[in-house]
């Protein structure tokens, strides 16, 4: 370059080098051996003088551009370059820029946009004026294009990624966000950038989030930190964060884990519901067994008290009162036992198609009488409520139990509301309770304005013998009976309550999809209808005391009675009896490996016209399946009274 420069002659506006000023020559001596890219534009026509490091920058313009005016050889960018050079000449001040773009045509006229780090400084001539501009440049085109491509790649990833990305400064102020934030939360970029996230954090998470940000400021990365942000719709969503500090910036990626959290919470709720269901089932099996044995004992007690009542002379009023009091106590015990069976889902149900609105309307007077004048009763019935298939008597008992519980929760008076509606429980709701099947249900909601229950009380509300009432005012079996009956009927029950806000019990009964059947009302049977000696009843009962009472009552009613203590004995009696037997009255649970159901089947095979009436204190699965009596089965539950037995036997024989 030194030889080429020295060879410049009259073809250049600068003229031969022998006429150049000392300042120009001194600048050339400094510039030519330098390794940096340097070009100097000298004189009013900005003639170009440069070193070897700069030559590749102008491509095939070298060496023809050496010593020539930049107005000619840098003509394609003169409108951009000229003002920069002229500014330095006019002001005598250095101009500096980084990644400054220039349009250059340097390879056979091919134009391209290039980028340079530039420093343009004035060079003073011998007379003290600015003789030229020394330009030290460094082409950064490759780096700029690579960075732009990387940014473009990042932007493509940010645009396509479902997980939201974020760049923030060290104070947590958001500087750049990916589009996923808008897709997830609804806030646009302008609403997010330029502020911290504190304004949309969940109040319970702010302290933890500030502590995590402090850790990032101290250089500690964030791994799997979880918090909640509020979306534009007002709902909060959960995010799991990974973030690293780098210089003055924080690079973060979040993952929306709302669905995972909801699924985990639903699973936990389902597991808790399953554990509760298993617990209730275990308690139910225990109470069912106790109720079975207790019913047999009660049958003996009530039966013999019944005999005493009917045979005591009226001139013994003290004894009459004593026996009456004993009978009342036994009957209360029988009610408690029945509630135990209802809770344990072991009571035999006889469900029929019912109209919920009609059943509740028919209870109106009973409710008013039971609750008293200080309780306002409102019945809100939706139009066209679906029919349900349920044991009407048991449903009335359940609703009455709920109403009495509500009354006790409103000692100063209040309002009881019973509502009916059609509803649908979807698969998401059913996933929260292992015993709930998706489908259409009839909803009966019993709500009050009473004291309500706290969370601890609510968690135990359905458990048997759990009560918040003082001793003597409650057995703790009311809600457990409702729970067991509804579950046994294929339904669902939930309680919503809070202290001071009252209680709402929501009963869901499966919709009945069959056709309506006419159920003509029967006239009430006369008290203790009599039989006659031409009618024979075979009694099969393994408990001697129960059998003795049953046989005595039937004979007193006028029937001819044959006794048996087990199934084989009963079958032998059928074979041995010369006359016809009109009715087999048998316990369901019998000894010697033959149940009452098996006995009935074999007896019916011997005598097809034989009528069968079962009795039991606990039906198990012999004649009751899925909580319902098998079709055509007739049952008289223990403990039964003289009148109950008389009426049921007469009803069977008159069919």
């Amino acid at each position: 370059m030194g030889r080429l420069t020295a060879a410049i002659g009259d073809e250049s506006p600068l003229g031969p080098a022998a006429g150049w000023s000392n300042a120009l020559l001194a600048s050339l001596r400094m510039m030519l051996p330098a390794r940096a890219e340097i070009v100097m534009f000298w004189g009013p026509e900005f003639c170009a003088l440069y070193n070897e490091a700069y030559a590749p920058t102008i491509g095939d313009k070298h060496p023809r551009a050496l010593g020539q005016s930049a107005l000619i050889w840098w003509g394609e960018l003169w409108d951009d370059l000229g003002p920069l050079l002229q500014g330095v000449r006019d002001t005598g001040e250095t101009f500096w820029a980084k990644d400054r773009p220039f349009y250059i045509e340097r390879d056979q006229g091919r134009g391209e946009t290039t980028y340079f780090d530039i420093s343009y400084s004035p060079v003073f001539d011998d007379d003290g004026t600015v003789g030229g501009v020394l330009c030290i440049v460094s082409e950064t085109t490759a780096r700029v294009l690579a960075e732009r491509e990387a940014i473009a790649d990042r932007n493509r990833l940010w645009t396509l990624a479902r997980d939201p990305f974020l760049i923030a400064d060290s104070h947590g102020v958001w500087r750049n966000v990916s589009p996923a934030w808008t897709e997830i939360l609804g806030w646009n970029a302008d609403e997010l950038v330029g502020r911290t996230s504190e304004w949309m954090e969940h109040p319970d998470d702010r302290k933890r989030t500030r502590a995590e940000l402090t850790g990032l400021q101290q250089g500690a990365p964030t791994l799997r930190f979880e918090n909640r942000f509020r979306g534009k719709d007002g709902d909060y969503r959960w995010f799991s964060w990974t973030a690293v500090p780098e210089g003055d910036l924080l690079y973060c990626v979040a993952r929306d884990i709302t669905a995972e959290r909801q699924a985990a919470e639903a699973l936990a709720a389902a597991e808790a519901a399953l554990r509760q269901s298993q617990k209730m089932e275990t308690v139910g099996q225990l109470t069912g067994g106790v109720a079975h044995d207790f019913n047999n004992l009660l049958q003996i007690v009530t039966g013999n008290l019944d005999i005493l009542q009917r045979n005591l002379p009226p001139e013994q009023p003290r004894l009459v009162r004593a026996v009456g009091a004993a009978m009342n106590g036994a009957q209360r015990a029988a009610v408690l036992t029945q509630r135990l069976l209802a809770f344990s889902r072991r009571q035999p149900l006889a469900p029929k198609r019912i109209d919920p609105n009609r059943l509740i309307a028919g209870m109106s007077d009973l409710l008013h009488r039971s609750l008293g004048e200080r309780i306002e009763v409102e019945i809100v019935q939706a139009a066209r409520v679906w029919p349900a298939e349920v044991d009407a008597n048991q449903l009335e008992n359940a609703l009455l139990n709920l109403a009495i519980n509500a009354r006790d929760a409103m000692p100063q008076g209040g309002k009881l509301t019973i509502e009916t509606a059609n509803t649908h429980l979807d698969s998401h709701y059913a996933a929260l309770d292992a015993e709930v099947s998706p489908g259409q249900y009839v909803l009966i909601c019993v709500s009050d304005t009473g004291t309500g229950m706290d969370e601890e009380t609510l968690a135990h509300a359905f458990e048997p013998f759990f009560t918040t009432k003082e001793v003597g005012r409650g057995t703790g079996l009311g809600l457990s009976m409702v729970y067991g009956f509804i579950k046994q009927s294929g339904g669902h029950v939930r309680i919503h309550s809070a202290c001071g806000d009252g209680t709402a019990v929501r009963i869901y009964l499966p919709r009945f999809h069959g056709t309506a059947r006419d159920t003509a009302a029967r006239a009430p049977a006369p008290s203790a209808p009599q039989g006659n000696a031409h009618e024979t009843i075979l009694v099969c009962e393994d408990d001697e005391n129960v059998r003795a009472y049953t046989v005595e009552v039937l004979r007193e009613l006028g029937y001819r009675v044959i006794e048996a203590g087990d199934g084989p004995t009963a079958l032998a009696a059928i074979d041995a009896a010369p006359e016809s037997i009109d009715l087999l009255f048998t316990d369901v649970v019998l000894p010697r490996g033959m149940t009452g159901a098996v006995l009935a089947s074999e007896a019916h095979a011997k005598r097809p016209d034989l009528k069968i009436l079962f009795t039991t204190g606990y039906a198990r699965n012999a004649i009751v399946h899925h909580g319902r009596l098998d079709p055509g089965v007739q049952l008289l539950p223990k403990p039964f009274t003289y009148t109950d037995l008389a009426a049921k036997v007469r009803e069977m024989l008159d069919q």
Side-chain angles (χ1 to χ4, degrees), residues 102-283:
F102 292 98
Y103 175 77
I104 297 179
E105 296 175 357
R106 56 185 175 182
D107 291 320
Q108 298 178 352
R110 181 176 60 84
E112 60 178 310
T113 299
T114 58
Y115 298 87
F116 290 86
D117 290 343
I118 61 174
S119 177
Y120 292 180
S121 302
V123 179
F124 295 95
D125 209 347
D126 294 343
D127 59 2
T129 62
V130 176
V133 179
L134 183 69
C135 304
I136 301 174
V137 301
S138 176
E139 185 170 359
T140 59
T141 304
R143 177 178 59 78
V144 170
L145 294 180
E147 289 178 353
R148 290 190 174 183
E149 182 61 28
I151 292 173
D153 289 342
R154 186 205 69 182
N155 289 340
R156 283 192 288 271
L157 286 174
W158 278 34
T159 301
L160 294 174
R162 300 185 65 183
D163 288 338
F165 291 84
L166 161 68
I167 298 175
D169 66 18
S170 59
H171 300 291
V173 177
W174 291 24
R175 296 304 185 196
N176 202 353
V177 295
S178 68
W181 285 109
T182 302
E183 295 174 9
I184 295 172
L185 294 178
W187 307 109
N188 60 46
D190 292 338
E191 293 171 307
L192 296 170
V193 172
R195 57 202 303 199
T196 69
S197 61
E198 191 168 359
W199 63 279
M200 59 178 176
E201 293 167 10
H202 193 284
D204 295 343
D205 299 338
R206 286 175 186 162
K207 186 176 180 180
R208 294 189 305 106
T209 304
R210 301 277 76 72
E212 194 67 24
L213 178 59
T214 300
L216 280 167
Q217 292 168 340
Q218 296 171 353
T222 287
L223 298 174
R224 294 184 294 277
F225 174 74
E226 296 180 1
N227 67 356
R228 287 162 286 183
F229 283 171
R230 176 172 51 85
K232 206 163 191 174
D233 59 3
D235 293 336
Y236 284 91
R237 301 194 68 82
W238 280 95
F239 293 93
S240 177
W241 291 86
T242 299
V244 293
E246 186 173 318
D248 293 333
L249 296 177
L250 307 176
Y251 294 89
C252 317
V253 59
R255 186 164 60 88
D256 184 2
I257 59 171
T258 306
E260 295 176 19
R261 295 276 303 209
Q262 291 173 342
E265 290 171 1
L267 178 60
E271 290 174 345
L274 178 59
R275 287 193 295 270
Q276 179 68 6
S277 175
Q278 291 171 337
K279 172 184 174 183
M280 300 290 268
E281 178 66 21
T282 301
V283 176

Side-chain angles (χ1 to χ4, degrees), residues 360-437:
I360 294 172
M363 294 182 63
S364 178
D365 290 342
L366 174 62
L367 291 172
H368 282 92
R369 289 196 306 270
S370 301
L371 302 182
E373 296 180 354
R374 291 198 293 181
I375 305 295
E376 176 188 353
V377 179
E378 181 180 9
I379 297 177
V380 182
Q381 297 180 330
R384 294 185 293 278
V385 170
W386 297 321
E389 188 174 23
V390 67
D391 190 311
N393 291 332
Q394 295 297 335
L395 178 58
E396 288 178 347
N397 287 338
L399 294 177
L400 186 59
N401 264 293
L402 294 178
I404 292 173
N405 276 353
R407 179 199 65 190
D408 294 342
M410 299 183 286
Q412 306 303 320
K415 182 177 181 180
L416 175 76
T417 304
I418 302 180
E419 302 172 76
T420 61
N422 297 328
T423 190
H424 181 270
L425 299 183
D426 58 19
S427 56
H428 176 73
Y429 184 96
L432 301 178
D433 192 319
E435 295 188 344
V436 176
S437 299

Side-chain angles (χ1 to χ4, degrees), residues 35 74 155 247 287 291 296 301 307 319 343 387 469 491 529 536 558 596 611 623:
R35 302 293 296 271
W74 276 259
N155 289 340
T287 55
N296 276 333
V301 172
I307 293 174
L319 292 179
F343 162 73
K469 300 173 184 177
T536 302
K611 295 176 181 179
I623 60 172

Side-chain angles (χ1 to χ4, degrees), residues 316-345:
Q316 298 283 345
R318 182 179 177 187
L319 292 179
V320 170
R321 285 195 303 271
V323 173
M327 179 62 84
N328 288 336
Q331 288 173 345
R332 288 179 61 190
V335 171
L336 291 179
T337 308
Q338 189 63 27
R339 288 182 174 180
L340 282 173
L341 284 173
F343 162 73
S344 62
R345 308 182 213 179

